[in-house]
Amino acid sequence: MKRSARILIVIVAIFGSVAAGCSPQASTAANKEAAIVVEDQPSGLKLLTLSGHAAKRLGVQTVEVTTRGSGLAIPYAAVIYDSKGGTWAYAASEALTFQRAAIAIDTIDGDEALLSDGPEAGTSVVTVGAAELYGAETGVGGGH
């Protein structure tokens, strides 16, 4: 077999296997399994509900807001800054459902943000995956 014929066969084999894996049915099933549902709320913010697969893919991790002195404390990793410098954290309203919550940072102490205002103590906030949630909410990163 000539070299050019072998290259053509490899290209066809690769293209054929990629095309087969991207069928509309497979793509739709994969999208449902990896979904982040974004819903508008009366507050103007959005509610984000993740499938289990999406949460796993993003590696979403949460911790509870704690009290420290007369204020609140969250890991600095939970803090999100918007384009206008506003400070936020993604708070869990129920399992795999999150909404951006405004926070007011008093000080940063190492890897902890001390807050004068934010979600109540005991509320779970996202420490890993918050930037991805912000992207899904605002449409940054495409796909919206």
Side-chain angles (χ1 to χ4, degrees), residues 76 108-113:
Y76 186 68
I108 306 294
D109 184 11
D111 62 354
E112 192 171 50

Side-chain angles (χ1 to χ4, degrees), residues 94-107:
E94 58 185 71
L96 301 180
T97 301
F98 306 96
Q99 187 167 24
R100 199 161 31 110
I103 59 173
I105 300 175
D106 276 342
T107 59

Side-chain angles (χ1 to χ4, degrees), residues 1-2 13-14 19 22 37-39 48 52 54 63 65 73-74 85 88-89 109 112 114 117 125-126 129 132:
M1 184 182 292
K2 292 183 181 177
I14 291 170
C22 293
V37 177
V38 180
E39 300 174 69
L48 293 94
V63 299
V65 176
I74 62 173
W88 305 86
D109 184 11
E112 192 171 50
L114 306 177
D117 193 25
V125 292
V126 176
E132 290 80 3

Side-chain angles (χ1 to χ4, degrees), residues 32-57:
K32 286 181 183 177
E33 189 175 293
I36 299 176
V37 177
V38 180
E39 300 174 69
D40 291 326
Q41 298 295 298
S43 65
L45 298 174
K46 298 183 183 202
L47 192 66
L48 293 94
T49 303
L50 283 65
S51 68
H53 182 74
K56 184 176 178 180
R57 187 185 73 228

Side-chain angles (χ1 to χ4, degrees), residues 8 20 27 30 42 47 49 52 61 79 102 104 107 116 120-121 126 128-129 134 138 141:
L8 179 59
S27 179
L47 192 66
T49 303
Q61 295 178 20
V79 176
T107 59
S116 58
E120 293 181 14
V126 176
V128 176
Y134 185 72
T138 61

